Amino acid sequence: MRGMSQRLALVIVLVAGLLIALSAPANAAATNQISGTAEFGGSPECAAPPAEFNSYPPLVMDGSLIGCWYTHIDTARTTAGGVYLESGEELFVGSLNGGPAGTFTTTYKFEAKLNAAGSEIRGRCQHKIVAENGTGGFEGASGRVDFKDIIGATTITYEYRGHIRLA
């Protein structure tokens, strides 16, 4: 009798699992892990930033994201200990893994350690994607992109990683 009830319980669990799996929508959102590099550079596509996102020259994105990254600074300050803090909004124009073009916006927070001369020693920033602002290939997108600053002798480049969930 005990073996029969164990088999029945197993069948019930399997059927319940199958029903749950089949009830998931066919067009369920996909989460994409992303990574790549970015740098300030001469890309003709990124030459003219939108007026509200022109706090820095645009970043040219390579890797999972191909396109242009534009920035608008809302707040910036340096602490007595040499930490630079910045926040604002950004706009990405381009594509994900060669898919359809579109845009998304982020809110971001940037932290950097500065030396006595005011030059960056290290830095990083976090960019939360604003879900309701995506267009085209990024309509309904959500997620987060994290940047790490790579300090060179004369330039700073950036490595990014994160995830984007497409609706």
Side-chain angles (χ1 to χ4, degrees), residues 38-50 53-61 67-71 91 158:
E39 62 184 35
F40 294 110
S43 170
E45 299 85 28
C46 302
F53 291 98
N54 65 358
S55 296
Y56 294 114
L59 285 171
V60 179
M61 305 293 289
C68 309
W69 193 278
Y70 304 100
T71 302
L91 169 69
Y158 309 91

Side-chain angles (χ1 to χ4, degrees), residues 61 64-70 91-104 135-138:
M61 305 293 289
S64 302
L65 296 173
I66 301 291
C68 309
W69 193 278
Y70 304 100
L91 169 69
F92 173 74
V93 179
S95 65
L96 170 65
N97 296 323
T103 67
F104 65 79
T135 67
F138 294 104

Side-chain angles (χ1 to χ4, degrees), residues 10-109:
L10 178 61
V11 168
I12 290 171
V13 168
L14 290 174
V15 169
L18 181 61
L19 289 174
I20 290 170
L22 292 175
S23 68
N27 61 350
T31 300
N32 298 274
Q33 296 299 317
I34 61 169
S35 63
T37 59
E39 62 184 35
F40 294 110
S43 170
E45 299 85 28
C46 302
E52 64 274 20
F53 291 98
N54 65 358
S55 296
Y56 294 114
L59 285 171
V60 179
M61 305 293 289
D62 196 18
S64 302
L65 296 173
I66 301 291
C68 309
W69 193 278
Y70 304 100
T71 302
H72 170 76
I73 299 171
D74 287 330
T75 65
R77 69 183 181 96
T78 304
T79 69
V83 176
Y84 177 76
L85 303 168
E86 181 181 294
S87 66
E89 302 169 89
E90 294 169 311
L91 169 69
F92 173 74
V93 179
S95 65
L96 170 65
N97 296 323
T103 67
F104 65 79
T105 60
T106 75
T107 57
Y108 77 94
K109 293 182 188 246

Side-chain angles (χ1 to χ4, degrees), residues 40 56 82 84 110-125 147-152 155-158:
F40 294 110
Y56 294 114
Y84 177 76
F110 172 65
E111 306 91 28
K113 178 64 176 164
L114 307 178
N115 64 19
S119 297
E120 184 177 344
I121 299 170
R122 65 183 170 276
R124 65 180 182 184
C125 49
F147 281 72
K148 178 182 177 185
D149 298 10
I150 308 301
I151 312 299
T155 62
I156 300 175
T157 58
Y158 309 91

